[in-house]
Amino acid sequence: MQKRAFFLKRLNDHVQYLNKMKGRLAGANTFEPTTCRICTLGQWLHGEGTKEAGEYGDTMLTLFRALFEPHERFHQASAEALHCQQTGDELGMHRALTEMHTLSSQLVGILLKMDAVPAPAVSNRHLSQHG
């Protein structure tokens, strides 16, 4: 249960960022986008993420590593969308927003796959045998 909450938190962090960015583009807030290393998900990816994912084995590490590229591109698309909005390029803003959504779907898919990876097996050596 703890693992599920952990990966759902990472998923929520990303979705909250996306929603704040969409609000900024719609003129509903003054959210300032960050780089891929500063957002909450990025801090985890570039911090404790490798260690935490490694505790679940190779499958989890492979999924973890797959987050980096679309996450970086997501932040680049966010910056591009804001830049286009500020320069009056509506079409460019909508293209970048579409790319953000595409990359967001990839990130969400990977995080959901990570959530589905079974927890490491617990040793049965400490259990008594009945016979």
Side-chain angles (χ1 to χ4, degrees), residues 80-104:
E80 178 66 18
L82 186 57
H83 173 76
C84 288
Q85 180 197 45
Q86 291 170 340
T87 60
D89 180 1
E90 272 303 298
L91 182 59
M93 182 188 78
H94 287 290
R95 284 182 180 153
L97 185 57
T98 298
E99 184 177 1
M100 285 170 56
H101 280 282
T102 299
L103 293 163
S104 178

mmCIF file of all heavy atoms in Angstrom, residues 80-104:
data_model
loop_
_atom_site.group_PDB
_atom_site.id
_atom_site.type_symbol
_atom_site.label_atom_id
_atom_site.label_comp_id
_atom_site.label_asym_id
_atom_site.label_seq_id
_atom_site.Cartn_x
_atom_site.Cartn_y
_atom_site.Cartn_z
ATOM 1 N N GLU A 80 8.263 26.676 -24.089
ATOM 2 C CA GLU A 80 7.929 27.104 -25.444
ATOM 3 C C GLU A 80 6.501 27.642 -25.505
ATOM 4 O O GLU A 80 6.233 28.664 -26.141
ATOM 5 C CB GLU A 80 8.103 25.948 -26.431
ATOM 6 C CG GLU A 80 7.741 26.282 -27.865
ATOM 7 C CD GLU A 80 8.656 27.306 -28.521
ATOM 8 O OE1 GLU A 80 9.773 27.534 -28.032
ATOM 9 O OE2 GLU A 80 8.245 27.888 -29.534
ATOM 10 N N ALA A 81 5.571 26.962 -24.849
ATOM 11 C CA ALA A 81 4.173 27.414 -24.841
ATOM 12 C C ALA A 81 4.072 28.800 -24.223
ATOM 13 O O ALA A 81 3.382 29.681 -24.763
ATOM 14 C CB ALA A 81 3.305 26.415 -24.077
ATOM 15 N N LEU A 82 4.755 29.020 -23.117
ATOM 16 C CA LEU A 82 4.707 30.315 -22.456
ATOM 17 C C LEU A 82 5.358 31.387 -23.322
ATOM 18 O O LEU A 82 4.827 32.497 -23.467
ATOM 19 C CB LEU A 82 5.371 30.242 -21.088
ATOM 20 C CG LEU A 82 5.268 31.503 -20.234
ATOM 21 C CD1 LEU A 82 3.805 31.913 -20.012
ATOM 22 C CD2 LEU A 82 5.970 31.291 -18.909
ATOM 23 N N HIS A 83 6.482 31.047 -23.918
ATOM 24 C CA HIS A 83 7.159 31.996 -24.812
ATOM 25 C C HIS A 83 6.243 32.388 -25.976
ATOM 26 O O HIS A 83 6.126 33.575 -26.312
ATOM 27 C CB HIS A 83 8.468 31.391 -25.340
ATOM 28 C CG HIS A 83 9.121 32.237 -26.385
ATOM 29 N ND1 HIS A 83 9.802 33.388 -26.083
ATOM 30 C CD2 HIS A 83 9.167 32.098 -27.738
ATOM 31 C CE1 HIS A 83 10.240 33.931 -27.206
ATOM 32 N NE2 HIS A 83 9.871 33.167 -28.217
ATOM 33 N N CYS A 84 5.603 31.397 -26.585
ATOM 34 C CA CYS A 84 4.702 31.681 -27.705
ATOM 35 C C CYS A 84 3.535 32.556 -27.257
ATOM 36 O O CYS A 84 3.141 33.481 -27.973
ATOM 37 C CB CYS A 84 4.188 30.378 -28.323
ATOM 38 S SG CYS A 84 5.440 29.473 -29.251
ATOM 39 N N GLN A 85 3.005 32.279 -26.089
ATOM 40 C CA GLN A 85 1.907 33.094 -25.576
ATOM 41 C C GLN A 85 2.362 34.546 -25.405
ATOM 42 O O GLN A 85 1.661 35.477 -25.788
ATOM 43 C CB GLN A 85 1.402 32.543 -24.247
ATOM 44 C CG GLN A 85 0.249 33.368 -23.676
ATOM 45 C CD GLN A 85 0.010 33.119 -22.217
ATOM 46 O OE1 GLN A 85 0.956 33.082 -21.433
ATOM 47 N NE2 GLN A 85 -1.248 32.928 -21.858
ATOM 48 N N GLN A 86 3.540 34.719 -24.834
ATOM 49 C CA GLN A 86 4.046 36.066 -24.551
ATOM 50 C C GLN A 86 4.376 36.842 -25.815
ATOM 51 O O GLN A 86 4.349 38.073 -25.809
ATOM 52 C CB GLN A 86 5.265 35.978 -23.638
ATOM 53 C CG GLN A 86 4.904 35.505 -22.240
ATOM 54 C CD GLN A 86 6.111 35.186 -21.373
ATOM 55 O OE1 GLN A 86 7.218 34.956 -21.869
ATOM 56 N NE2 GLN A 86 5.902 35.159 -20.065
ATOM 57 N N THR A 87 4.689 36.140 -26.898
ATOM 58 C CA THR A 87 5.003 36.813 -28.170
ATOM 59 C C THR A 87 3.794 36.879 -29.101
ATOM 60 O O THR A 87 3.920 37.318 -30.235
ATOM 61 C CB THR A 87 6.182 36.116 -28.881
ATOM 62 O OG1 THR A 87 5.836 34.755 -29.161
ATOM 63 C CG2 THR A 87 7.449 36.186 -28.046
ATOM 64 N N GLY A 88 2.653 36.402 -28.620
ATOM 65 C CA GLY A 88 1.441 36.493 -29.425
ATOM 66 C C GLY A 88 1.287 35.405 -30.469
ATOM 67 O O GLY A 88 0.434 35.509 -31.357
ATOM 68 N N ASP A 89 2.066 34.343 -30.379
ATOM 69 C CA ASP A 89 1.995 33.238 -31.335
ATOM 70 C C ASP A 89 1.008 32.192 -30.818
ATOM 71 O O ASP A 89 1.391 31.212 -30.188
ATOM 72 C CB ASP A 89 3.387 32.640 -31.519
ATOM 73 C CG ASP A 89 3.444 31.478 -32.503
ATOM 74 O OD1 ASP A 89 2.404 31.113 -33.081
ATOM 75 O OD2 ASP A 89 4.562 30.932 -32.679
ATOM 76 N N GLU A 90 -0.285 32.411 -31.099
ATOM 77 C CA GLU A 90 -1.342 31.509 -30.620
ATOM 78 C C GLU A 90 -1.149 30.095 -31.150
ATOM 79 O O GLU A 90 -1.296 29.130 -30.405
ATOM 80 C CB GLU A 90 -2.718 32.000 -31.084
ATOM 81 C CG GLU A 90 -3.434 32.987 -30.205
ATOM 82 C CD GLU A 90 -3.674 32.561 -28.782
ATOM 83 O OE1 GLU A 90 -4.391 31.563 -28.523
ATOM 84 O OE2 GLU A 90 -3.177 33.249 -27.900
ATOM 85 N N LEU A 91 -0.848 29.978 -32.441
ATOM 86 C CA LEU A 91 -0.674 28.654 -33.041
ATOM 87 C C LEU A 91 0.491 27.924 -32.389
ATOM 88 O O LEU A 91 0.384 26.750 -32.040
ATOM 89 C CB LEU A 91 -0.470 28.769 -34.551
ATOM 90 C CG LEU A 91 -0.329 27.453 -35.311
ATOM 91 C CD1 LEU A 91 -1.570 26.571 -35.124
ATOM 92 C CD2 LEU A 91 -0.104 27.735 -36.794
ATOM 93 N N GLY A 92 1.602 28.606 -32.198
ATOM 94 C CA GLY A 92 2.761 28.003 -31.547
ATOM 95 C C GLY A 92 2.445 27.582 -30.125
ATOM 96 O O GLY A 92 2.876 26.514 -29.672
ATOM 97 N N MET A 93 1.673 28.403 -29.419
ATOM 98 C CA MET A 93 1.296 28.069 -28.048
ATOM 99 C C MET A 93 0.460 26.791 -28.031
ATOM 100 O O MET A 93 0.694 25.903 -27.220
ATOM 101 C CB MET A 93 0.517 29.207 -27.399
ATOM 102 C CG MET A 93 0.153 28.910 -25.943
ATOM 103 S SD MET A 93 -0.966 30.116 -25.214
ATOM 104 C CE MET A 93 -2.522 29.578 -25.923
ATOM 105 N N HIS A 94 -0.500 26.698 -28.949
ATOM 106 C CA HIS A 94 -1.354 25.510 -28.981
ATOM 107 C C HIS A 94 -0.577 24.261 -29.403
ATOM 108 O O HIS A 94 -0.836 23.170 -28.878
ATOM 109 C CB HIS A 94 -2.570 25.749 -29.888
ATOM 110 C CG HIS A 94 -3.569 26.669 -29.259
ATOM 111 N ND1 HIS A 94 -4.336 26.310 -28.176
ATOM 112 C CD2 HIS A 94 -3.882 27.958 -29.541
ATOM 113 C CE1 HIS A 94 -5.094 27.323 -27.820
ATOM 114 N NE2 HIS A 94 -4.831 28.341 -28.635
ATOM 115 N N ARG A 95 0.369 24.422 -30.294
ATOM 116 C CA ARG A 95 1.222 23.275 -30.661
ATOM 117 C C ARG A 95 2.037 22.795 -29.471
ATOM 118 O O ARG A 95 2.145 21.600 -29.222
ATOM 119 C CB ARG A 95 2.149 23.657 -31.821
ATOM 120 C CG ARG A 95 1.459 23.699 -33.147
ATOM 121 C CD ARG A 95 2.434 24.027 -34.252
ATOM 122 N NE ARG A 95 1.742 24.055 -35.531
ATOM 123 C CZ ARG A 95 2.119 24.761 -36.573
ATOM 124 N NH1 ARG A 95 3.214 25.517 -36.481
ATOM 125 N NH2 ARG A 95 1.433 24.735 -37.689
ATOM 126 N N ALA A 96 2.623 23.742 -28.747
ATOM 127 C CA ALA A 96 3.426 23.378 -27.578
ATOM 128 C C ALA A 96 2.542 22.764 -26.492
ATOM 129 O O ALA A 96 2.945 21.803 -25.824
ATOM 130 C CB ALA A 96 4.170 24.600 -27.044
ATOM 131 N N LEU A 97 1.333 23.279 -26.330
ATOM 132 C CA LEU A 97 0.405 22.723 -25.352
ATOM 133 C C LEU A 97 0.012 21.294 -25.729
ATOM 134 O O LEU A 97 -0.059 20.413 -24.870
ATOM 135 C CB LEU A 97 -0.835 23.617 -25.233
ATOM 136 C CG LEU A 97 -1.848 23.251 -24.162
ATOM 137 C CD1 LEU A 97 -1.215 23.211 -22.780
ATOM 138 C CD2 LEU A 97 -3.012 24.235 -24.194
ATOM 139 N N THR A 98 -0.191 21.059 -27.008
ATOM 140 C CA THR A 98 -0.487 19.698 -27.479
ATOM 141 C C THR A 98 0.684 18.772 -27.186
ATOM 142 O O THR A 98 0.498 17.644 -26.728
ATOM 143 C CB THR A 98 -0.812 19.703 -28.988
ATOM 144 O OG1 THR A 98 -1.978 20.503 -29.191
ATOM 145 C CG2 THR A 98 -1.038 18.301 -29.518
ATOM 146 N N GLU A 99 1.901 19.259 -27.422
ATOM 147 C CA GLU A 99 3.086 18.450 -27.115
ATOM 148 C C GLU A 99 3.176 18.178 -25.615
ATOM 149 O O GLU A 99 3.510 17.068 -25.195
ATOM 150 C CB GLU A 99 4.362 19.140 -27.599
ATOM 151 C CG GLU A 99 5.595 18.275 -27.381
ATOM 152 C CD GLU A 99 6.869 18.884 -27.915
ATOM 153 O OE1 GLU A 99 6.846 20.004 -28.461
ATOM 154 O OE2 GLU A 99 7.912 18.228 -27.772
ATOM 155 N N MET A 100 2.844 19.161 -24.799
ATOM 156 C CA MET A 100 2.836 18.962 -23.348
ATOM 157 C C MET A 100 1.880 17.836 -22.976
ATOM 158 O O MET A 100 2.228 16.976 -22.164
ATOM 159 C CB MET A 100 2.409 20.249 -22.632
ATOM 160 C CG MET A 100 3.441 21.335 -22.589
ATOM 161 S SD MET A 100 2.767 22.921 -21.974
ATOM 162 C CE MET A 100 2.099 22.426 -20.400
ATOM 163 N N HIS A 101 0.696 17.838 -23.568
ATOM 164 C CA HIS A 101 -0.286 16.796 -23.257
ATOM 165 C C HIS A 101 0.194 15.419 -23.714
ATOM 166 O O HIS A 101 0.005 14.427 -23.000
ATOM 167 C CB HIS A 101 -1.644 17.130 -23.883
ATOM 168 C CG HIS A 101 -2.420 18.119 -23.095
ATOM 169 N ND1 HIS A 101 -3.108 17.791 -21.954
ATOM 170 C CD2 HIS A 101 -2.594 19.454 -23.266
ATOM 171 C CE1 HIS A 101 -3.689 18.868 -21.470
ATOM 172 N NE2 HIS A 101 -3.380 19.895 -22.245
ATOM 173 N N THR A 102 0.803 15.356 -24.878
ATOM 174 C CA THR A 102 1.336 14.086 -25.386
ATOM 175 C C THR A 102 2.413 13.549 -24.452
ATOM 176 O O THR A 102 2.402 12.370 -24.072
ATOM 177 C CB THR A 102 1.909 14.278 -26.807
ATOM 178 O OG1 THR A 102 0.858 14.718 -27.666
ATOM 179 C CG2 THR A 102 2.510 12.986 -27.344
ATOM 180 N N LEU A 103 3.336 14.407 -24.063
ATOM 181 C CA LEU A 103 4.418 14.003 -23.165
ATOM 182 C C LEU A 103 3.884 13.673 -21.779
ATOM 183 O O LEU A 103 4.357 12.732 -21.133
ATOM 184 C CB LEU A 103 5.481 15.098 -23.093
ATOM 185 C CG LEU A 103 6.242 15.309 -24.400
ATOM 186 C CD1 LEU A 103 6.970 16.645 -24.395
ATOM 187 C CD2 LEU A 103 7.192 14.158 -24.667
ATOM 188 N N SER A 104 2.880 14.417 -21.338
ATOM 189 C CA SER A 104 2.260 14.125 -20.057
ATOM 190 C C SER A 104 1.656 12.726 -20.064
ATOM 191 O O SER A 104 1.800 11.976 -19.097
ATOM 192 C CB SER A 104 1.182 15.169 -19.741
ATOM 193 O OG SER A 104 0.556 14.871 -18.520
#
